[in-house]
Amino acid sequence: MRMKKFRLLIVDDEPLIRAGIRDGLSERDDVEIAGECGSVSEAIDTLRSDEVDLVLLDVELPDGKGFDVIRRVGPERMPAVVFVTAYDRYAIQAFEVNAVDYLLKPFDQSRLLASLDRVRDRLAGSGDALARRLEALLQARETQWPQTLVVRKGERFDIVSVMSVDWIEAANNYAVLHCGAVDHVFGETLASLETRLDPTKFLRVHRSTIVNAARIVAVHTMIGGVYELELRGGTRVKTGRQYRDRIRKLLDG
């Protein structure tokens, strides 16, 4: 008996990752690639207009996060989801608790195929159960934001209140937390730290900068479609051109 094909949408901003997924599935006769997307907006448009059974959904995208896709499409309308992530302990804990599968970058073909087999089993179950899992995942994301960050300094551990942070600056594989006159070197990348912070309070405004929205006291328009954010205390932070929509949304209230 011939197995029914299910339609797969690949959502990842890295072309090499998308190509690797295609290659890894080339011998599967039960999978049809419905398309590829490199952003939140593209994924939403595709899911609203096309019939898809499964989404391989990157957590971190240029214009937002994979969770934004679920929120805007709606858990009840989403197909099955396998998250693709480069972040380990924070993401994996949420995914496992809510019975949503994940692929941790870098992953190999055997891990990809095993994940698809698990998803196929779930697709045979209740669609309502899938919607409930996705809804639970969104709720978990919205309530899991930490109130403190632990900064190690040799044998000392400083407990830093998240809301004491004015802005955060990338420093290679670390991030610098600027808290008034005190700076803390935090042992994670800016991209990893961004996934842990409440996006309604902390805004990524540049590839190397996150700001605490509550610290913004003025926004200055600059030439070239960028802005300069004036923070409480007088610090000024320039935004990146690719983040201008976020600033406009902030200005629209």
Side-chain angles (χ1 to χ4, degrees):
M1 180 176 176
R2 187 173 180 179
M3 187 175 294
K4 179 184 176 182
K5 286 189 176 183
F6 63 99
R7 290 172 57 77
L8 169 69
L9 178 66
I10 304 170
V11 182
D12 196 296
D13 64 327
E14 299 181 52
L16 288 178
I17 294 290
R18 298 199 300 266
I21 292 172
R22 277 188 175 273
D23 290 344
L25 298 176
S26 60
E27 298 180 3
R28 289 284 294 245
D29 58 7
D30 60 334
V31 178
E32 176 185 354
I33 304 297
E36 297 180 11
C37 301
S39 67
V40 168
S41 57
E42 289 176 1
I44 291 170
D45 289 343
T46 301
L47 289 167
R48 286 175 173 171
S49 62
D50 202 352
E51 186 173 336
V52 176
D53 299 307
L54 169 65
V55 185
L56 292 185
L57 183 59
D58 194 4
V59 170
E60 187 71 23
L61 294 162
D63 57 342
K65 300 184 185 300
F67 303 100
D68 297 327
V69 176
I70 299 173
R71 185 175 291 106
R72 291 169 61 183
V73 172
E76 72 284 351
R77 297 181 58 189
M78 280 294 296
V81 175
V82 171
F83 284 97
V84 180
T85 175
Y87 313 119
D88 47 15
R89 59 190 184 278
Y90 310 113
I92 291 172
Q93 181 180 8
F95 302 159
E96 289 182 335
V97 166
N98 293 284
V100 177
D101 204 16
Y102 66 90
L103 290 168
L104 182 62
K105 297 178 182 178
F107 53 86
D108 57 19
Q109 184 183 31
S110 62
R111 178 70 180 92
L112 172 63
L113 297 180
S115 181
L116 292 185
D117 288 338
R118 281 193 290 273
V119 170
R120 174 170 283 285
D121 292 339
R122 288 178 186 157
L123 287 177
S126 170
D128 290 340
L130 173 62
R132 287 194 297 271
R133 285 197 298 270
L134 292 176
E135 183 66 41
L137 176 62
L138 289 181
Q139 291 176 359
R141 288 292 298 179
E142 290 168 356
T143 58
Q144 72 175 13
W145 312 118
Q147 301 302 306
T148 59
L149 297 172
V150 179
V151 178
R152 181 168 185 170
K153 296 179 179 178
E155 298 303 314
R156 169 190 171 97
F157 294 87
D158 287 340
I159 310 300
V160 179
S161 168
V162 167
M163 293 314 295
S164 73
V165 177
D166 299 320
W167 65 291
I168 308 169
E169 182 181 16
N172 296 320
N173 292 324
Y174 300 90
V176 180
L177 311 178
H178 296 281
C179 308
V182 179
D183 295 340
H184 301 277
V185 178
F186 191 65
E188 291 185 26
T189 64
L190 192 73
S192 175
L193 183 55
E194 184 185 9
T195 67
R196 300 180 59 192
L197 297 174
D198 185 345
T200 66
K201 295 181 173 65
F202 288 87
L203 304 178
R204 182 78 173 264
V205 298
H206 190 278
R207 59 189 175 87
S208 62
T209 310
I210 294 173
V211 300
N212 182 342
R215 296 295 196 273
I216 301 173
V217 296
V219 178
H220 303 272
T221 303
M222 307 289 286
I223 296 174
V226 299
Y227 300 88
E228 188 175 65
L229 306 180
E230 182 179 345
L231 307 183
R232 192 181 306 165
T235 299
R236 294 200 174 201
V237 175
K238 288 186 178 179
T239 68
R241 188 176 292 108
Q242 67 269 39
Y243 298 94
R244 58 188 173 188
D245 289 344
R246 298 185 185 184
I247 307 304
R248 289 171 181 168
K249 184 176 179 180
L250 176 69
L251 296 175
D252 290 340

